[in-house]
Amino acid sequence: MINVIYIPTYDRVGKQITFDNLPNKWKEKAVLVVSPNEVHKEYPTLSCPEQGNGIAPVREWISEHGQGKRYAVFDDDIQFVYTRRKDEVGPSNSPLTEEQFNDMFDTMDVWMNEGYVQTACDVCWNPPTRNIDFKVNSRITTNIFYDGSKLPIDKIDWTSLDIAEDYFVNLQLLSMGYQNKVSLKYRTNPSATQSKGGCSSFRTLDVHNESMKQLKNKFPEYVELREKVTKNSGEWSGKPRLAATISWKKAYQSSQIGNLEDFFS
């Protein structure tokens, strides 16, 4: 079962979209990972000495705290939605009911039983996929479920990139042979990229672009960069930024080459 939900948050006192939209059952498992200098009244909190220094060191700190547990890490500004299936009628995306929340968490737990160390829900900025319920070895962002009893935290470089840390860790795990599984039925609807607070406190356009260049340098065979104009992303709107096309499946396939060579030797 998913034991705990970590919600790292910074400079958003009194505005907790993710926590507030969880059913009470799951609020009891959730905790805000906060700076020692912030007070979040009426919310359960876990003081993190790394909070305020960027999201990457906070991610590393959470991985150490979550060892031996099955846990989730959610951005603090997301809403979970159900995306209509091909044979269904109704709105394209609708807020999860409590029953659907339960099924979503149960699904992640079942996938971990199947051997997946990292799982997630798709994000609504991707076009909806209605004819299948999941994909394997794909992009993960805004929400991640980890099996902390199997996650090789000592083999992961958590902090070399200030931004794009989820992509960076995902590529490392895939290239080490740890597949992921992503729900297309349950998805997240995040706030604009540079909405006030959170990562916008330190994530400038220059920092973002430099991190994307570093990501390509670390995984040149899987990452291709392109320039795009940002829409609906706060202070970045209308400005060009670097975006990446990433071959997630190729990253996992690379981990199997040695195994195949050993099999046929």
Side-chain angles (χ1 to χ4, degrees), residues 20 35 59 62 117 121 162 175 208 219 229 231 243 251 262-263:
D20 290 347
S35 165
R59 287 282 202 267
I62 289 173
V117 170
C121 297
D162 293 329
S175 60
H208 166 86
F219 291 99
V229 175
K231 298 180 180 179
D262 291 342
F263 179 79

Side-chain angles (χ1 to χ4, degrees), residues 50-62:
E50 298 295 340
Q51 189 60 273
N53 297 323
I55 190 59
V58 174
R59 287 282 202 267
E60 181 176 39
W61 186 89
I62 289 173

Side-chain angles (χ1 to χ4, degrees), residues 20-246:
D20 290 347
N21 280 281
L22 291 173
N24 288 335
K25 172 182 176 179
W26 296 103
K27 284 179 180 177
E28 293 175 359
K29 291 179 177 286
V31 61
L32 305 185
V33 180
V34 304
S35 165
N37 299 320
E38 289 187 353
V39 176
H40 294 257
K41 295 181 179 179
E42 300 180 3
Y43 289 97
T45 60
L46 189 61
S47 179
C48 172
E50 298 295 340
Q51 189 60 273
N53 297 323
I55 190 59
V58 174
R59 287 282 202 267
E60 181 176 39
W61 186 89
I62 289 173
S63 75
E64 295 168 352
H65 200 272
Q67 286 187 83
K69 310 170 187 174
R70 289 184 174 181
Y71 65 92
V73 184
F74 294 163
D75 286 4
D76 64 357
D77 60 347
I78 59 175
Q79 298 184 54
F80 285 88
V81 299
Y82 175 80
T83 296
R84 188 185 69 235
R85 304 291 82 207
K86 184 178 180 180
D87 56 349
E88 295 175 339
V89 297
S92 179
N93 296 299
S94 55
L96 294 193
T97 65
E98 183 168 355
E99 182 178 354
Q100 288 170 332
F101 263 108
N102 292 340
D103 184 62
M104 183 265 287
F105 280 102
D106 287 346
T107 296
M108 300 301 163
D109 198 51
V110 167
W111 288 350
M112 289 180 185
N113 290 341
E114 295 173 353
Y116 291 92
V117 170
Q118 52 172 349
T119 65
C121 297
D122 192 27
V123 182
C124 283
W125 60 53
N126 296 326
T129 303
R130 304 192 189 281
N131 58 335
I132 56 174
D133 289 346
F134 63 84
K135 53 187 173 182
V136 174
N137 300 336
S138 186
R139 175 171 62 176
I140 289 178
T141 187
T142 76
N143 71 106
I144 310 175
F145 296 77
Y146 286 123
D147 187 341
S149 66
K150 298 178 181 177
L151 185 66
I153 64 171
D154 294 335
K155 296 181 181 179
I156 298 171
D157 177 359
W158 296 90
T159 59
S160 287
L161 268 65
D162 293 329
I163 302 299
E165 71 289 337
D166 288 346
Y167 294 174
F168 184 38
V169 171
N170 190 8
L171 280 171
Q172 291 179 69
L173 287 170
L174 288 171
S175 60
M176 283 190 279
Y178 295 94
Q179 299 193 79
N180 69 46
K181 197 167 186 177
V182 179
S183 172
L184 300 172
K185 179 168 65 171
Y186 299 124
R187 303 202 295 166
T188 66
N189 188 16
S191 299
T193 300
Q194 281 298 95
S195 56
K196 188 178 185 304
C199 291
S200 69
S201 302
F202 58 87
R203 178 176 54 197
T204 66
L205 191 55
D206 288 341
V207 168
H208 166 86
N209 287 339
E210 180 58 31
S211 290
M212 297 305 286
K213 292 175 184 177
Q214 291 178 24
L215 184 66
K216 179 173 175 57
N217 287 338
K218 291 179 181 296
F219 291 99
E221 61 270 48
Y222 314 134
V223 179
E224 294 294 332
L225 297 182
R226 66 189 187 279
E227 192 175 89
K228 64 183 293 186
V229 175
T230 304
K231 298 180 180 179
N232 302 320
S233 291
E235 63 189 36
W236 290 8
S237 292
K239 298 179 181 179
R241 67 178 176 89
L242 289 178
T245 299
I246 301 177

